[in-house]
Amino acid sequence: MDKKAAEKKVQELHNLLNQYNYEYHVLDHPSVPDSEYDRLMRELISIEEQYPDLISPESPTQRVGGEILSAFEKVEHRIPMLSLGNAFNEADLYDFDRRVKQVVGDDVEYVCELKIDGLAISLRYENGLFIQGATRGDGTIGEDITSNLKTIRSIPLRLKQEMSIEVRGEAYMPKKSFEALNKAKEENGEEPFANPRNAAAGSLRQLDPRVAASRNLDTFLYAIGDFSETGESTHNDGLNLLENLGFKVNKEREKCANIEEVLQYVQKWVEKRPNLPYEIDGIVIKVNSFEQQRELGFTAKSPRWAIAYKFPAEEVVTKLLDIELSVGRTGVITPTAILDPVRVAGTKVQRASLHNEDLIREKDIKLGDYVVIKKAGDIIPEVVNVLVEKRTGEEQEFLMPTHCPECESELVRLEGEVALRCINPKCPAQIREGLIHFVSRNAMNIDGLGEKVISQLFSHELIHDVADIYRLQQDQLLELERMGEKSVTNLLAAIEKSKTNSLEKLLFGLGIRHVGAKAAKTLAQEFGNMDALAAATREELTAIQDIGEKMADSIVTYFENEDAIQLINKLKNAGLNMDYNGSRPVEAQSISSSLAGKTVVLTGKLVKLTRNEAKEKLEALGANVTGSVSKKTDLVIAGEDAGSKLTKAQELGIEVWDEEKMLEEFNIN
Ligand code: IVH
């Protein structure tokens, strides 16, 4: 075959194979036998072997790229991927309806959809071609999992229209594939996945795309990233557009004229849920009109125009075998129920926190009791109640100890508290927990230093306090279990990097009583550096909004303690940053910001700052940064290649600044 004929044939084969793939994986309605598909695929492969330059990224042969990655790249979502507020009962849904109507009036239509229990994905297409797929991540930054997503056959590599669009949906593992995968894992002596969601997430987090390809994942798409770019006026039309572009959209969606119809839809699916071939964990209810969605807008975390109804938690009965005690960072003794292992809402449960002695008395929990277990918010196992009627008389009263299970000093119950505490500041359990807290995500965020490594370092007496972390040497780390040269190098780099953290991370990490992550940020912003905070009086502290008397007392007491001062000096000598790295709050700045109280939208590509940096700085100047342009927007900052948002701002007569002008406001130029 000459090149010209080959080109033509390749095009024909692409079209046919794409069509057959679509019929099979999206419509669930194949028109040709598998053997015919395979024959055409072999033909395409052989032409591509002969003319490798005819292999294009959208070729059906390119679903499994073969290339093994060393890590996933980070992807910044142009429009944040938010989550949804939850409703747990009818009353919550009526409340939602009332809140919606307060803003948009009584004339509102909803769309109900199944809440697929998988993981959120974002897919970007340029001129109809799939160019990037990402996880949700923290909502702002996700991971580039394009090569894994390409292996999912229901994701089109080319759209039915040459369109540039970002779409969102859920990747999931059907129940059947999940069961087969776990069976195979168990036969191989491997740990099975807890539930289809974990299995889907685990598959898409593999660096070798061949693993994802073998896992039979599927998708449902349910949103367009920026609907103002496509011209649809309702969510339902948006879903139909997605379908017409070739995506798999869940068929069970329904328009509901009012909240009563929504409740009927919910009830129907509570009953029909077990018959579905995939897991759902609730129903998502969305306001249909985009105009009304715009009016409703967003809270910091989620849209006001949608809500997720979560199905009631599954409850199961099991036996309470024992009660274990642990000592927390602040010396609190927490009892934990040790249960006869049982599956609840998809995962095996064998422990549940009992919180404190009062709760054990209130629920009248005895050793050997049969108890009802559920997962609060479908995540954290909890003991609901005891089945008193199942008692045999063999059950035993549980008595809280009088002495610390770790250091044996006498436990106390502080006035007004339900918890028993070990108040020995040298208690090893407290020190270990304090170390674990110091390296945790919201504190110093040292990658590779988890609970296990800290526990080992502590028990090997390589670290006694948090400052010792900064003295760790390569050879000491290499002696630990499962620590190769690579992980040691990475860990040392992570420790070094944490030295530059902004003050609030260190402050939170020190674990000063009552100072949470948010208060630490306020303190860091207000005082700017550690010495200024250490010198602050109780009055200066309580004068700050959000800092109460209890916290002020605790901070003053902390800095009066000689050991604490010595520790901070050790950290200073180790080279830790003791300053706040961000900008000071509006009140603290000498210039009064013209952005205070303004609603600002960022669009297009920024050159000097990342979008996140710009957002943070805008917020530090008192602006409220939102995702979409509406009548309520005061200002639009337009970077390069700004598209429909800029047009819309111009239509609405909203003030527009370029990046330079914004930098001037930040005093960066
Ligand atoms: S809409 C602004 N629709 O549920 C958020 N989400 O917290 C828009 N999910 O992370 C989400 N099925 O992964 C939407 N039909 C559906 C969904 C759905 C599952 C997930 C999604 C999101 C979480 C909501």
Side-chain angles (χ1 to χ4, degrees), residues 80-86 112-121 136 168-171 220-223 235 250 281-286 298 301-303 305-306 308 310:
M81 289 181 81
L82 300 173
S83 60
L84 293 173
N86 289 328
C112 284
E113 291 165 31
L114 303 182
K115 186 166 184 298
I116 313 298
D117 200 8
L119 75 155
I121 51 167
R136 173 174 183 272
R168 291 170 179 188
E170 202 80 354
F220 283 122
L221 278 298
Y222 51 65
H235 175 64
N250 193 282
D281 59 343
I283 302 294
V284 182
I285 299 116
K286 302 172 183 171
F298 298 83
K301 282 194 237 133
S302 48
W305 43 261
K310 298 294 269 292

Side-chain angles (χ1 to χ4, degrees), residues 349-487:
V349 170
Q350 41 197 350
R351 302 166 70 85
S353 174
L354 295 171
H355 304 291
N356 53 58
E357 189 177 9
D358 284 9
L359 186 130
I360 299 178
R361 301 283 156 260
E362 239 167 65
K363 298 202 166 165
D364 184 24
I365 296 172
K366 293 193 169 142
L367 297 171
D369 265 335
Y370 279 91
V371 289
V372 176
I373 306 291
K374 74 166 185 189
K375 283 204 207 138
D378 259 337
I379 302 176
I380 302 157
E382 115 185 31
V383 174
V384 183
N385 58 285
V386 170
L387 296 180
V388 182
E389 65 278 12
K390 287 194 95 172
R391 283 196 175 150
T392 61
E394 302 269 299
E395 298 73 20
Q396 282 179 2
E397 195 81 33
F398 174 76
L399 293 174
M400 284 296 269
T402 52
H403 289 79
C404 174
E406 288 258 356
C407 71
E408 292 180 1
S409 51
E410 196 170 347
L411 299 178
V412 297
R413 195 165 179 159
L414 299 180
E415 215 186 297
E417 288 192 358
V418 284
L420 269 181
R421 270 180 203 277
C422 165
I423 51 167
N424 169 18
K426 303 230 151 44
C427 171
Q430 290 182 49
I431 297 174
R432 187 185 57 233
E433 293 302 313
L435 288 161
I436 293 170
H437 169 77
F438 184 81
V439 300
S440 65
R441 219 177 117 133
N442 285 333
M444 297 301 273
N445 191 20
I446 305 183
D447 264 355
L449 255 195
E451 205 170 318
K452 289 211 177 105
V453 181
I454 288 283
S455 296
Q456 278 192 70
L457 289 168
F458 187 63
S459 62
H460 287 63
E461 298 194 11
L462 291 172
I463 51 174
H464 305 89
D465 63 26
V466 297
D468 290 342
I469 293 173
Y470 294 94
R471 292 216 210 107
L472 287 168
Q473 302 289 328
Q474 194 180 27
D475 49 340
Q476 294 175 316
L477 291 168
L478 278 169
E479 276 171 32
L480 303 181
E481 279 167 38
R482 281 195 228 123
M483 280 291 233
E485 230 159 80
K486 181 126 191 260
S487 27

Side-chain angles (χ1 to χ4, degrees), residues 330-341:
T330 58
V332 171
I333 310 292
T334 307
T336 300
I338 307 300
L339 306 161
D340 202 2

Side-chain angles (χ1 to χ4, degrees), residues 25 40 48 82 136-137 230 275 284 303 497 562 605-606 642-643:
H25 292 281
L40 296 174
E48 286 183 347
L82 300 173
R136 173 174 183 272
T230 60
N275 309 331
V284 182
K497 184 168 154 236
E562 196 44 45
K605 218 170 80 201
L606 299 180

